[in-house]
Amino acid sequence: MVKLIHTLADHGDDVNCCAFSSSLLATCSLDKTIRLYSLSDFTELPHSPLKLHTYAVHCCCFSPSGHILASCSTDGTTVLWNTQNGETLAVMEQPTGSPVRVCRFSPDSTCLVSGAADGTVVLWNAQSYKLYRCGSVKDGSLVACAFSPNGNFFVTGSSCGDLTLWDDKMRCLHSEKAHDLGITCCDFSSQPVSDGEQGLQFFRLASCGQDCQIKIWVVSFTHILGFELKYKSTLSGHCAPVLACAFSHNGQMLVSGSVDKSVIVYDTNTENILHTLTQHTRYVTTCAFAPNILLLATGSMDKTVNIWQFDLETPCQARSTEDEAKQFPEEWSEDDVSVWLCEQGLNDLVGIFKMNNIDGRELLNLTKESLADDLKIESLGLRSKVLRKIEELRTEVKTLSSGIPDEFLCPITREVMKDPVIATDGYSYEKEAMENWISKKKRTSPMTNLVLPSVVLTPNRTLKMAISRWLETHQK
């Protein structure tokens, strides 16, 4: 379960970025300011907001210790701040004077990268505040950057769609077209995929872009073969350009924010959607997980930052409304079938099933004859394995259809919702029931008993569609 626990509305313009340290949250905005909040109660620090930039602040990030905050701006500078008193430590000017769009500290705090609109990328010495190395990409603005967990290399993303790998001496190691319409953000998981073989390391990288997709990559490094970037999969939960993505500190979750105004939380291992959050009223521009606790911050062009709290079981057990709907295999898309095949260890059949447009309904109707004659699967053992898995799926369908999912029931009436709405506590209720609850002067949440930040109720169209589909399929 995930719930909205606080909304910050102090900025006077679009929120461009948010970042956590172990004790603080930083946010920055088109309003030229950076704001600092305590994680204990989300009160703004006495020396906040931080004011020095003369134009919009695009990005902010903490050093690993949390003692220094970096911010960068259209004014062509990257500024380092003392988080304890708000004093300016350094103002580092991009050599070309171009607007700086992104900045990131290395994991050991020795270096800071800044990327600019003209494609220049600078590696600064974070102790002396001096320029160490400078480079540039072939085309486009640099809008994204992420360091590998071991600090040996970093990745930049450009508005032309290229992912570029650099080593810690600013040598370009690899460049690849990742998103046709341009990259908007990228992030490494802090947990290595594998480190089983001597001298071999694998890191999971997520990138997102204007093509409405999130792509998952595996970056490998060996001292002999060097670096290699391999495409793994695509997450297509959003219906509009994806502007931000971030892994949780334990690597179990991946979050994304989009022009479609939604925030989606994925299970990193299964790539299933855990939650779809729809409280923002304009584009979601930024998202970040806290390092030590299960908190998520999302910022938007609606000038607000929402703080979300997860239950401990969330990475493995929580599901969003959309994911609940996808529990029913007969409603799976062709991509869902591909994911299922991979989960069953049948990766080699993905191409065959996609070529034959096998969706969930088609999958459940497959027989040993159609596997052999139509799909041309020659191996008897492989056909038998597929049939066993399909039979397990049919049994699961019968089980699922026997009861109403609890998420479809209003927490107040315990009846199937006809017109679900989302309250500011993050929970969905039947509209009439929640309006009656509020009309009795109850400004508290029916689920948490905490005071509601607002009595605004937002239609939950996704849930309404899921309930409608379920009723059509299971209540005939």
Side-chain angles (χ1 to χ4, degrees):
M1 183 62 67
V2 59
K3 60 183 177 182
L4 180 64
I5 61 169
H6 205 87
T7 296
L8 304 171
D10 300 308
H11 283 294
D13 212 328
D14 301 359
V15 177
N16 286 331
C17 186
C18 54
F20 282 100
S21 72
S22 58
S23 60
L24 300 175
L25 170 67
T27 64
C28 64
S29 167
L30 284 183
D31 66 10
K32 309 175 189 177
T33 69
I34 304 102
R35 292 181 180 271
L36 291 172
Y37 301 89
S38 168
L39 292 190
S40 60
D41 56 4
F42 300 106
T43 56
E44 192 165 3
L45 300 190
H47 50 271
S48 175
L50 308 179
K51 297 180 179 179
L52 183 65
H53 290 293
T54 55
Y55 289 98
V57 186
H58 293 290
C59 184
C60 59
C61 62
F62 286 98
S63 65
S65 68
H67 296 153
I68 300 174
L69 179 76
S71 62
C72 58
S73 165
T74 299
D75 62 18
T77 68
T78 302
V79 177
L80 298 184
W81 310 83
N82 183 327
T83 59
Q84 296 174 321
N85 54 27
E87 292 181 358
T88 304
L89 299 174
V91 178
M92 303 181 295
E93 297 184 2
Q94 201 77 2
T96 59
S98 180
V100 186
R101 301 297 303 276
V102 65
C103 56
R104 288 288 183 272
F105 279 100
S106 63
D108 61 3
S109 296
T110 59
C111 299
L112 177 79
V113 167
S114 64
D118 63 356
T120 57
V121 53
V122 176
L123 195 60
W124 303 91
N125 185 310
Q127 274 76 48
S128 65
Y129 314 137
K130 302 294 185 182
L131 187 150
Y132 173 58
R133 296 284 172 88
C134 188
S136 64
V137 295
K138 292 180 181 178
D139 298 298
S141 300
L142 274 182
V143 294
C145 180
F147 266 95
S148 64
N150 62 5
N152 288 345
F153 62 96
F154 63 93
V155 171
T156 58
S158 79
S159 60
C160 285
D162 293 332
L163 277 176
T164 304
L165 270 66
W166 311 79
D167 69 7
D168 54 5
K169 293 182 174 55
M170 280 291 296
R171 291 176 295 203
C172 181
L173 305 171
H174 180 83
S175 187
E176 181 161 334
K177 190 78 168 182
H179 295 265
D180 290 338
L181 303 177
I183 292 170
T184 53
C185 188
C186 61
D187 191 39
F188 273 102
S189 170
S190 62
Q191 304 301 315
V193 178
S194 172
D195 196 11
E197 299 178 42
Q198 188 174 5
L200 183 62
Q201 293 177 309
F202 295 92
F203 301 99
R204 184 181 281 112
L205 171 73
S207 64
C208 57
Q210 299 286 350
D211 56 6
C212 312
Q213 296 180 337
I214 303 165
K215 292 188 177 180
I216 307 298
W217 310 81
V218 175
V219 183
S220 60
F221 168 69
T222 64
H223 294 291
I224 299 174
L225 301 176
F227 293 84
E228 186 176 23
L229 179 69
K230 284 187 176 181
Y231 165 78
K232 179 181 179 288
S233 57
T234 296
L235 308 179
S236 304
H238 290 289
C239 60
V242 186
L243 302 182
C245 63
F247 283 100
S248 60
H249 186 66
N250 60 10
Q252 295 297 307
M253 291 183 285
L254 174 68
V255 65
S256 59
S258 168
V259 169
D260 65 15
K261 306 176 190 176
S262 74
V263 175
I264 295 180
V265 183
Y266 296 90
D267 184 307
T268 306
N269 296 316
T270 65
E271 298 186 353
N272 290 331
I273 295 176
L274 296 174
H275 302 283
T276 301
L277 312 175
T278 56
Q279 268 71 10
H280 286 295
T281 58
R282 295 195 66 198
Y283 301 174
V284 180
T285 54
T286 178
C287 48
F289 279 102
N292 300 320
I293 51 179
L294 283 173
L295 285 183
L296 167 68
T298 60
S300 167
M301 289 174 64
D302 63 15
K303 306 177 188 177
T304 70
V305 176
N306 283 335
I307 313 297
W308 308 85
Q309 187 173 50
F310 292 81
D311 289 340
L312 291 176
E313 76 273 16
T314 294
C316 299
Q317 297 175 9
R319 286 180 177 267
S320 70
T321 302
E322 288 187 7
D323 199 34
E324 286 291 344
K326 284 190 176 181
Q327 281 190 42
F328 306 110
E330 63 264 45
E331 296 179 7
W332 285 356
S333 66
E334 293 174 24
D335 288 336
D336 295 326
V337 171
S338 297
V339 170
W340 176 80
L341 287 170
C342 293
E343 290 174 350
Q344 309 308 315
L346 300 169
N347 308 55
D348 294 341
L349 297 181
V350 170
I352 296 173
F353 276 60
K354 280 204 166 189
M355 189 185 305
N356 288 274
N357 305 115
I358 304 297
D359 59 14
R361 196 172 294 278
E362 292 288 338
L363 176 68
L364 292 173
N365 289 327
L366 288 176
T367 63
K368 61 181 180 181
E369 289 78 18
S370 58
L371 289 174
D373 301 336
D374 300 331
L375 301 189
K376 309 297 183 185
I377 300 176
E378 297 180 0
S379 168
L380 175 60
L382 190 54
R383 291 200 303 271
S384 298
K385 182 177 180 181
V386 174
L387 284 173
R388 283 198 306 273
K389 296 297 182 182
I390 291 174
E391 189 55 42
E392 291 174 6
L393 210 52
R394 289 172 182 149
T395 302
E396 183 181 336
V397 169
K398 292 176 183 177
T399 303
L400 288 172
S401 62
S402 62
I404 300 171
D406 191 64
E407 288 75 10
F408 295 173
L409 302 177
C410 172
I412 299 173
T413 65
R414 297 307 296 169
E415 295 178 354
V416 177
M417 288 181 276
K418 297 177 181 178
D419 192 8
V421 293
I422 304 171
T424 51
D425 60 359
Y427 292 91
S428 291
Y429 304 92
E430 177 63 43
K431 183 180 179 181
E432 184 179 356
M434 192 58 182
E435 286 176 342
N436 289 338
W437 177 277
I438 294 170
S439 69
K440 294 175 183 176
K441 299 181 180 180
K442 292 182 180 178
R443 287 295 301 264
T444 57
S445 162
M447 294 294 285
T448 67
N449 290 323
L450 298 176
V451 177
L452 292 169
S454 164
V455 293
V456 173
L457 302 177
T458 305
N460 192 337
R461 297 184 180 88
T462 303
L463 178 55
K464 188 173 183 178
M465 290 173 59
I467 293 173
S468 178
R469 288 197 299 264
W470 189 90
L471 291 173
E472 287 175 4
T473 306
H474 301 278
Q475 299 293 306
K476 292 179 180 179

